[in-house]
Amino acid sequence: MIENRPWLTLVSHFSLLLGIGVVALPVWVALVASTHPSSAFAAGEIPLWFGDQALENWRSVFLGEASSGVDVPVWKMMINSFVMALGITIGKLFISLLSAYAIVFFRFPFRGLCFWVIFITLMLPVEVRIVPTYEVVANLDMLNSYSGLILPLIASATATFLFRQCFMSMPGELIEAARMDGAGPVRFFFDILLPMTRTNIAALFVIMFIYGWNQYLWPVIITTDDAYYTLVMSIKRMLAVDQGDIEWNHVMVTTLLAMLPPVAVVIGMQKLFVKGLVDAEK
C-alpha cells in the first residue's frame, strides 16, 4: 500500500533536492572555476559565477602542457587513462567469463577448490599485494608501459563470482537442447551463453571501466615517465607545485575532463547497466 500524505511527499522532494545539491555543488564550483584566470583565486575566494576565460583555459589545458608540474598535454593523459581503463575492463571480463565457464560447465579434479582459491583473493586487494606485484612487474621489465599498467589488474574474483552465479542459473533444458543440436563447448559459449549474459556483461563493463579509469595508486608506483601518466594521477601532480602557486583554473579543467569519459559510459550504457544489475539480483 502506498501512503498519500502531502507532508511525506514534501519531505521526500526536499531530501531529493538536498542530495542533488550536495552532489552537484562541487561540479558547479569546478565548472565556474574553469572559466576564470588563475589570479581570481589569489585571495582565497572561490567565484560562484562564470568568468570570461573559459575558451582560453580549456584550449590551453587540452592542447598545451597541463601545468608547470606535468610536461605532457591533457589529451595524451586522457589516451593513457582510456587505454588503461579499457584494457583492464576487457581483460577482467575475458578472464572472468572463461574462469566461470570452466568452473560451472566442465568437470575436472579440484574444481571446487579452484573456485574457492579465486574467491579468497577478494580479501587481497591491490594495496595488500602491491610490493610483490611491483617486484614481478619490475623483473619483467614492464615499468613505464601500458602492459605494466594493465596486466596486474585484469584478474577479478568479483566478476568471476558473479558470472558463476549467472551461469548456474541457466536452465538444464537449455544445455541439453544445445547438446542435442550438436553445439560444442565453443559454439555453446559464443552463440548461447554470451548473448544470454549480455546485460550482466554490460553492467560489469561499466563498473570495471570506472574502476580502471579511477586507478591512482598503481600508476603512481610504476610510472616515472610523463608519457605514461594517467589523468587522475596528474591532478595530484598539478597540485604539488612550489610556493603554492597552483593554477586552479587548469586543475579544475583537468578535473572536469577526468569526469567526462566515465559519465559518458554510464549514460551510454544506462539501460543495459540497470537491467544487468536487476537481472543479477534475481
Side-chain angles (χ1 to χ4, degrees):
M1 183 177 67
I2 300 176
E3 296 185 8
N4 186 16
R5 298 180 180 178
W7 66 269
L8 188 60
T9 303
L10 183 63
V11 171
S12 300
H13 282 77
F14 177 77
S15 302
L16 181 62
L17 291 174
L18 182 63
I20 293 174
V22 170
V23 173
L25 181 61
V27 180
W28 172 261
V29 170
L31 184 62
V32 170
S34 68
T35 64
H36 287 269
S38 63
S39 58
F41 308 92
E45 298 179 356
I46 301 176
L48 295 178
W49 193 246
F50 296 102
D52 57 354
Q53 301 289 319
L55 184 61
E56 181 179 345
N57 289 340
W58 282 75
R59 184 175 56 208
S60 62
V61 170
F62 197 75
L63 299 179
E65 294 181 356
S67 72
S68 56
V70 184
D71 296 331
V72 292
V74 167
W75 66 265
K76 172 63 176 173
M77 292 187 288
M78 287 190 76
I79 292 177
N80 293 341
S81 294
F82 186 77
V83 170
M84 180 181 176
L86 199 61
I88 291 173
T89 304
I90 294 174
K92 281 181 178 291
L93 291 176
F94 181 73
I95 292 177
S96 301
L97 279 168
L98 291 183
S99 303
Y101 182 55
I103 290 172
V104 174
F105 293 102
F106 289 84
R107 300 290 181 268
F108 54 89
F110 307 111
R111 183 175 61 130
L113 178 62
C114 292
F115 168 72
W116 284 110
V117 168
I118 296 173
F119 189 76
I120 288 174
T121 60
L122 279 173
M123 305 173 191
L124 298 173
V126 175
E127 292 78 7
V128 174
R129 50 187 167 83
I130 201 161
V131 174
T133 304
Y134 176 84
E135 182 71 19
V136 172
V137 171
N139 291 336
L140 294 175
D141 196 21
M142 292 195 299
L143 299 178
N144 292 317
S145 67
Y146 288 127
S147 57
L149 286 169
I150 295 171
L151 291 181
L153 303 179
I154 62 172
S156 174
T158 305
T160 303
F161 175 74
L162 294 176
F163 281 130
R164 173 184 176 268
Q165 299 306 109
C166 178
F167 292 165
M168 290 180 69
S169 66
M170 296 289 173
E173 294 80 2
L174 177 66
I175 302 171
E176 287 298 324
R179 189 174 298 159
M180 293 177 64
D181 196 36
V186 176
R187 182 183 170 193
F188 176 72
F189 180 74
F190 284 102
D191 292 350
I192 298 175
L193 212 54
L194 285 186
M196 293 188 67
T197 56
R198 183 171 58 97
T199 54
N200 302 90
I201 294 173
L204 283 172
F205 180 92
V206 174
I207 296 172
M208 298 304 175
F209 184 87
I210 295 174
Y211 166 83
W213 183 272
N214 290 332
Q215 280 298 311
Y216 171 74
L217 181 60
W218 181 245
V220 164
I221 291 177
I222 74 155
T223 55
T224 54
D225 185 352
D226 288 7
Y228 292 97
Y229 276 11
T230 61
L231 198 55
V232 174
M233 64 181 287
S234 73
I235 295 174
K236 177 65 174 64
R237 285 288 301 272
M238 294 168 69
L239 297 174
V241 295
D242 296 334
Q243 300 177 353
D245 189 18
I246 301 173
E247 297 175 295
W248 284 107
N249 49 350
H250 288 186
V251 173
M252 294 304 172
V253 172
T254 309
T255 303
L256 292 172
L257 286 172
M259 293 171 53
L260 293 181
V263 171
V265 169
V266 171
I267 293 176
M269 303 183 68
Q270 184 179 12
K271 289 185 179 179
L272 289 173
F273 176 64
V274 174
K275 194 170 187 301
L277 292 180
V278 172
D279 289 345
E281 292 177 354
K282 289 182 178 178

